[in-house]
Amino acid sequence: MRLFGKDLQREVIVVAEIGVNHEGDVDAAQRMITLAHEAGADAVKLQSYTPERFASAADPVRLARVRRFCLDRAAHERLAAHARSIGATLFSTCVTEDVIPMLAELFPAIKVASGDINFEVLVRAAVRTGKPVILSTGNADVDEIDQAVRWCREEAGANTAERVAIMHCVSAYPAPIEQANVLGVPFLRDRYGLTTGYSNHVIGADACLAAVALGASIVEVHFTDRREGREFRDHALSFEPQELAALVGNVRRIRAALGTAGKPLQPAELEIRTAMRKGVAAAQDLAAGTVLAAAGHGVCCGRNAVADRQAPQGGRGAGPSDPAGGHRPGMSRLRAAVIGLGVGEKLAETVASLPDCELASICDLDRPRLDAIGARWPSASRTTNAEEVLRDANVDLVCIASFDDHHFAQVMTALEHGKHVFVEKPFVQREAEARAVKDALKARPSLRLSSNLILRRSPRFLDLRRRIDAGELGRLYHLEGDYNYGRLHKIVEGWRGKLDFYSAVQGGGVHVADLLMWLARDRIVEVSAVGNAIASEGSGFRNFDMVVSTLKFAGGAVGKLGVNFGCVFPHFHPMAIYGTDATFVNAPEHALLYRSRDPGAAPTKLDTEYPGTHKGDLIASFVSAILGRGEAEVTERDVFDSLAVCFAIEQSAHTGTPVRVEYLWDEVRT
């Protein structure tokens, strides 16, 4: 089942349930959505209902509270728009059946609460919308669950497995840990053959993590901005933002640790099998033809004598001489693989052309394209399964050019299997993912990572940097750069527009952020951004297509960075670099260098080639760095720093406040 852009056979979704913890305050609900999204939740959930259909007039106290906590349609529309604007996924529980049409219109999925598992009209109506339905089973016995699943199958037919997920739940507030009964997760999965998750009412994360270890593909927890001073019962068992962030990280790690069923040899094991097992070695010189016998020849049965002679000398993955994996003395040629053959075809061309690289494997989801491109390199193996490449013990370097929402998982798997990584931008989509990659690299200091920040390879910008370094422009005080994409159809019709979250800032602006800091040899320390989605309005694209941000550099310079995906203009990178002695302007036909403030003085035309780059230009220096022959043109620090600026711009655009840039790589290597 795919849900919220994730393949739940391989990934786990974490849902932050606000429910009615907003207590009827739309501003509070909006704030909680933002906090949950920033903490790394894959989706945020509300509860929706009509008060008079939910509480009886015979209980006026409860009815009054239910009315106070209720969000009307306008509030739902506002919150849905806010979620789209920050790239968050929002959906809701249909507590009363009459809200189902509204939820189907506004949200990508519908939840059926435990209390309604025996409410046939509601269950059938939810499934009938065609939206994915998450069915909770708290307070239900097996017969009642059988009945509800039967209703779902009757409505969804052959598509049930792709449209219905079932949640183990214990409906107590809170539920004691000893009654969590998380073994219900594999029971439900095996009984119904449906994607199965766990809805948590236990205080703390223990039951959630146990559920993931037992195969839960969805974990739902209650969420609040703060528990202190709150009286409504759900706050007490709710996760606060920092707790949710920790849960998300631990869920990701546990899912990664599960692997696959069976007992396959792992790549990290392969090279130390010989070294770990007993062998036979003579303790003295023997003549040729001597028949070995334990008695009389001093035969030694021990590990070290054999391991010292037979341990591998070259380096791929993890091994006894370098448990963290990566390059080791003796490696002079890398075996490389490429995942994704759009831009990846250019990366494969470069890899195949390098004398110290062998193109060992290529991967693409499109089999006809894979075979057509693969014909250029018959010796390279082909697969449509990226996991085969990422776990291949014979691959040293993986070049990742897959869809953006696949980058994080593929980067992590590659690092966990001892591989160096060259990845298209953005290398991750969220700050929590960047932190996870940072931690993985910190734990494996011999592994290298780089990203295709290709603009710094343009001859025009190389020439500009040389001029800046030579002092031709004087002291830089203002730097402007824009990423004019000019290809609106790619975000409203292509795969980018189908993702639950796609950031134009991270997908395009990252080039400009990197270029400006590279030219200035200085860091951006604070940003203030605004954005809109006017160009893509009505298309279904869920984020800003236009963002502009002011920049503050550590050395005192200021700047402006723009990202314009919807422009009626060719793909281009306008740039103006202002120095005290000269100004550089990048124009479509040629660059201009203004050396005088005299309005009559003509600028110097610079015809240096632009862009003049090949998508694989950065790979050669990265390979050399892996082999210990210098530094990569784009280092790990460059990769993390440029994306850190983008995270800050994205946050500022959605919050309307200035944001300090948090440089994660500073925590790893100085």
Side-chain angles (χ1 to χ4, degrees), residues 11-29:
E11 301 172 273
V12 177
I13 284 174
V14 178
V15 176
E17 182 183 4
I18 295 172
V20 291
N21 277 346
H22 51 73
E23 300 184 28
D25 184 338
V26 184
D27 290 336

PDB file of all heavy atoms in Angstrom, residues 11-29:
ATOM      1  N   GLU A  11       8.477   1.247   4.311  1.00  0.00           N
ATOM      2  CA  GLU A  11       8.621   2.424   5.153  1.00  0.00           C
ATOM      3  C   GLU A  11       7.522   2.453   6.214  1.00  0.00           C
ATOM      4  O   GLU A  11       6.507   1.781   6.087  1.00  0.00           O
ATOM      5  CB  GLU A  11       8.555   3.698   4.300  1.00  0.00           C
ATOM      6  CG  GLU A  11       9.633   3.754   3.222  1.00  0.00           C
ATOM      7  CD  GLU A  11       9.427   4.911   2.267  1.00  0.00           C
ATOM      8  OE1 GLU A  11       8.686   4.737   1.280  1.00  0.00           O
ATOM      9  OE2 GLU A  11      10.004   5.990   2.501  1.00  0.00           O
ATOM     10  N   VAL A  12       7.741   3.265   7.224  1.00  0.00           N
ATOM     11  CA  VAL A  12       6.757   3.452   8.291  1.00  0.00           C
ATOM     12  C   VAL A  12       6.321   4.912   8.303  1.00  0.00           C
ATOM     13  O   VAL A  12       7.155   5.820   8.227  1.00  0.00           O
ATOM     14  CB  VAL A  12       7.338   3.076   9.669  1.00  0.00           C
ATOM     15  CG1 VAL A  12       6.317   3.341  10.777  1.00  0.00           C
ATOM     16  CG2 VAL A  12       7.754   1.610   9.683  1.00  0.00           C
ATOM     17  N   ILE A  13       5.027   5.126   8.392  1.00  0.00           N
ATOM     18  CA  ILE A  13       4.471   6.472   8.497  1.00  0.00           C
ATOM     19  C   ILE A  13       4.209   6.797   9.964  1.00  0.00           C
ATOM     20  O   ILE A  13       3.642   5.981  10.690  1.00  0.00           O
ATOM     21  CB  ILE A  13       3.152   6.579   7.695  1.00  0.00           C
ATOM     22  CG1 ILE A  13       3.452   6.658   6.201  1.00  0.00           C
ATOM     23  CG2 ILE A  13       2.335   7.779   8.138  1.00  0.00           C
ATOM     24  CD1 ILE A  13       2.209   6.612   5.347  1.00  0.00           C
ATOM     25  N   VAL A  14       4.624   7.981  10.381  1.00  0.00           N
ATOM     26  CA  VAL A  14       4.312   8.466  11.726  1.00  0.00           C
ATOM     27  C   VAL A  14       3.248   9.555  11.602  1.00  0.00           C
ATOM     28  O   VAL A  14       3.459  10.565  10.918  1.00  0.00           O
ATOM     29  CB  VAL A  14       5.559   9.012  12.433  1.00  0.00           C
ATOM     30  CG1 VAL A  14       5.179   9.564  13.812  1.00  0.00           C
ATOM     31  CG2 VAL A  14       6.614   7.922  12.578  1.00  0.00           C
ATOM     32  N   VAL A  15       2.111   9.336  12.241  1.00  0.00           N
ATOM     33  CA  VAL A  15       0.988  10.274  12.206  1.00  0.00           C
ATOM     34  C   VAL A  15       0.894  10.976  13.561  1.00  0.00           C
ATOM     35  O   VAL A  15       0.843  10.321  14.600  1.00  0.00           O
ATOM     36  CB  VAL A  15      -0.337   9.549  11.903  1.00  0.00           C
ATOM     37  CG1 VAL A  15      -1.516  10.531  11.970  1.00  0.00           C
ATOM     38  CG2 VAL A  15      -0.282   8.874  10.538  1.00  0.00           C
ATOM     39  N   ALA A  16       0.875  12.294  13.530  1.00  0.00           N
ATOM     40  CA  ALA A  16       0.675  13.080  14.742  1.00  0.00           C
ATOM     41  C   ALA A  16      -0.792  13.477  14.821  1.00  0.00           C
ATOM     42  O   ALA A  16      -1.274  14.262  14.003  1.00  0.00           O
ATOM     43  CB  ALA A  16       1.561  14.324  14.716  1.00  0.00           C
ATOM     44  N   GLU A  17      -1.504  12.910  15.788  1.00  0.00           N
ATOM     45  CA  GLU A  17      -2.926  13.213  15.922  1.00  0.00           C
ATOM     46  C   GLU A  17      -3.130  14.392  16.875  1.00  0.00           C
ATOM     47  O   GLU A  17      -2.968  14.268  18.088  1.00  0.00           O
ATOM     48  CB  GLU A  17      -3.723  12.015  16.426  1.00  0.00           C
ATOM     49  CG  GLU A  17      -5.204  12.376  16.501  1.00  0.00           C
ATOM     50  CD  GLU A  17      -6.088  11.272  17.051  1.00  0.00           C
ATOM     51  OE1 GLU A  17      -5.571  10.228  17.456  1.00  0.00           O
ATOM     52  OE2 GLU A  17      -7.306  11.489  17.070  1.00  0.00           O
ATOM     53  N   ILE A  18      -3.479  15.526  16.288  1.00  0.00           N
ATOM     54  CA  ILE A  18      -3.900  16.661  17.106  1.00  0.00           C
ATOM     55  C   ILE A  18      -5.269  16.368  17.697  1.00  0.00           C
ATOM     56  O   ILE A  18      -5.565  16.723  18.835  1.00  0.00           O
ATOM     57  CB  ILE A  18      -3.941  17.952  16.259  1.00  0.00           C
ATOM     58  CG1 ILE A  18      -2.541  18.321  15.796  1.00  0.00           C
ATOM     59  CG2 ILE A  18      -4.563  19.100  17.056  1.00  0.00           C
ATOM     60  CD1 ILE A  18      -2.510  19.461  14.808  1.00  0.00           C
ATOM     61  N   GLY A  19      -6.110  15.667  16.890  1.00  0.00           N
ATOM     62  CA  GLY A  19      -7.461  15.376  17.351  1.00  0.00           C
ATOM     63  C   GLY A  19      -8.191  16.669  17.641  1.00  0.00           C
ATOM     64  O   GLY A  19      -8.368  17.513  16.762  1.00  0.00           O
ATOM     65  N   VAL A  20      -8.595  16.850  18.895  1.00  0.00           N
ATOM     66  CA  VAL A  20      -9.204  18.124  19.301  1.00  0.00           C
ATOM     67  C   VAL A  20      -8.358  18.804  20.384  1.00  0.00           C
ATOM     68  O   VAL A  20      -8.868  19.592  21.175  1.00  0.00           O
ATOM     69  CB  VAL A  20     -10.658  17.920  19.789  1.00  0.00           C
ATOM     70  CG1 VAL A  20     -11.554  17.529  18.636  1.00  0.00           C
ATOM     71  CG2 VAL A  20     -10.728  16.896  20.913  1.00  0.00           C
ATOM     72  N   ASN A  21      -7.068  18.507  20.403  1.00  0.00           N
ATOM     73  CA  ASN A  21      -6.193  19.172  21.364  1.00  0.00           C
ATOM     74  C   ASN A  21      -6.101  20.675  21.130  1.00  0.00           C
ATOM     75  O   ASN A  21      -5.630  21.414  21.986  1.00  0.00           O
ATOM     76  CB  ASN A  21      -4.785  18.562  21.331  1.00  0.00           C
ATOM     77  CG  ASN A  21      -4.682  17.304  22.179  1.00  0.00           C
ATOM     78  OD1 ASN A  21      -5.559  17.027  22.994  1.00  0.00           O
ATOM     79  ND2 ASN A  21      -3.616  16.541  21.989  1.00  0.00           N
ATOM     80  N   HIS A  22      -6.536  21.130  19.968  1.00  0.00           N
ATOM     81  CA  HIS A  22      -6.601  22.575  19.708  1.00  0.00           C
ATOM     82  C   HIS A  22      -7.726  23.227  20.501  1.00  0.00           C
ATOM     83  O   HIS A  22      -7.773  24.451  20.645  1.00  0.00           O
ATOM     84  CB  HIS A  22      -6.817  22.832  18.223  1.00  0.00           C
ATOM     85  CG  HIS A  22      -7.962  22.053  17.653  1.00  0.00           C
ATOM     86  ND1 HIS A  22      -9.283  22.351  17.901  1.00  0.00           N
ATOM     87  CD2 HIS A  22      -7.971  20.954  16.843  1.00  0.00           C
ATOM     88  CE1 HIS A  22     -10.062  21.498  17.278  1.00  0.00           C
ATOM     89  NE2 HIS A  22      -9.295  20.629  16.625  1.00  0.00           N
ATOM     90  N   GLU A  23      -8.669  22.416  20.985  1.00  0.00           N
ATOM     91  CA  GLU A  23      -9.802  22.855  21.803  1.00  0.00           C
ATOM     92  C   GLU A  23     -10.618  23.956  21.126  1.00  0.00           C
ATOM     93  O   GLU A  23     -11.133  24.873  21.776  1.00  0.00           O
ATOM     94  CB  GLU A  23      -9.314  23.292  23.191  1.00  0.00           C
ATOM     95  CG  GLU A  23      -8.612  22.154  23.936  1.00  0.00           C
ATOM     96  CD  GLU A  23      -8.203  22.515  25.351  1.00  0.00           C
ATOM     97  OE1 GLU A  23      -8.876  23.373  25.953  1.00  0.00           O
ATOM     98  OE2 GLU A  23      -7.217  21.932  25.853  1.00  0.00           O
ATOM     99  N   GLY A  24     -10.716  23.862  19.798  1.00  0.00           N
ATOM    100  CA  GLY A  24     -11.542  24.793  19.048  1.00  0.00           C
ATOM    101  C   GLY A  24     -10.840  26.051  18.592  1.00  0.00           C
ATOM    102  O   GLY A  24     -11.440  26.883  17.902  1.00  0.00           O
ATOM    103  N   ASP A  25      -9.557  26.212  18.919  1.00  0.00           N
ATOM    104  CA  ASP A  25      -8.787  27.393  18.537  1.00  0.00           C
ATOM    105  C   ASP A  25      -8.070  27.100  17.225  1.00  0.00           C
ATOM    106  O   ASP A  25      -7.119  26.308  17.194  1.00  0.00           O
ATOM    107  CB  ASP A  25      -7.785  27.720  19.645  1.00  0.00           C
ATOM    108  CG  ASP A  25      -6.988  28.990  19.380  1.00  0.00           C
ATOM    109  OD1 ASP A  25      -6.885  29.397  18.214  1.00  0.00           O
ATOM    110  OD2 ASP A  25      -6.461  29.573  20.346  1.00  0.00           O
ATOM    111  N   VAL A  26      -8.497  27.745  16.139  1.00  0.00           N
ATOM    112  CA  VAL A  26      -7.925  27.458  14.818  1.00  0.00           C
ATOM    113  C   VAL A  26      -6.453  27.870  14.768  1.00  0.00           C
ATOM    114  O   VAL A  26      -5.630  27.186  14.146  1.00  0.00           O
ATOM    115  CB  VAL A  26      -8.726  28.160  13.706  1.00  0.00           C
ATOM    116  CG1 VAL A  26      -8.181  27.784  12.334  1.00  0.00           C
ATOM    117  CG2 VAL A  26     -10.197  27.784  13.795  1.00  0.00           C
ATOM    118  N   ASP A  27      -6.106  28.976  15.401  1.00  0.00           N
ATOM    119  CA  ASP A  27      -4.705  29.390  15.428  1.00  0.00           C
ATOM    120  C   ASP A  27      -3.848  28.345  16.135  1.00  0.00           C
ATOM    121  O   ASP A  27      -2.725  28.049  15.700  1.00  0.00           O
ATOM    122  CB  ASP A  27      -4.557  30.736  16.149  1.00  0.00           C
ATOM    123  CG  ASP A  27      -5.140  31.892  15.349  1.00  0.00           C
ATOM    124  OD1 ASP A  27      -5.224  31.760  14.107  1.00  0.00           O
ATOM    125  OD2 ASP A  27      -5.524  32.907  15.956  1.00  0.00           O
ATOM    126  N   ALA A  28      -4.373  27.786  17.218  1.00  0.00           N
ATOM    127  CA  ALA A  28      -3.631  26.736  17.927  1.00  0.00           C
ATOM    128  C   ALA A  28      -3.476  25.506  17.049  1.00  0.00           C
ATOM    129  O   ALA A  28      -2.410  24.879  17.016  1.00  0.00           O
ATOM    130  CB  ALA A  28      -4.351  26.377  19.223  1.00  0.00           C
ATOM    131  N   ALA A  29      -4.540  25.142  16.320  1.00  0.00           N
ATOM    132  CA  ALA A  29      -4.468  23.991  15.419  1.00  0.00           C
ATOM    133  C   ALA A  29      -3.407  24.221  14.354  1.00  0.00           C
ATOM    134  O   ALA A  29      -2.610  23.322  14.029  1.00  0.00           O
ATOM    135  CB  ALA A  29      -5.830  23.743  14.780  1.00  0.00           C
TER     136      ALA A  29
END
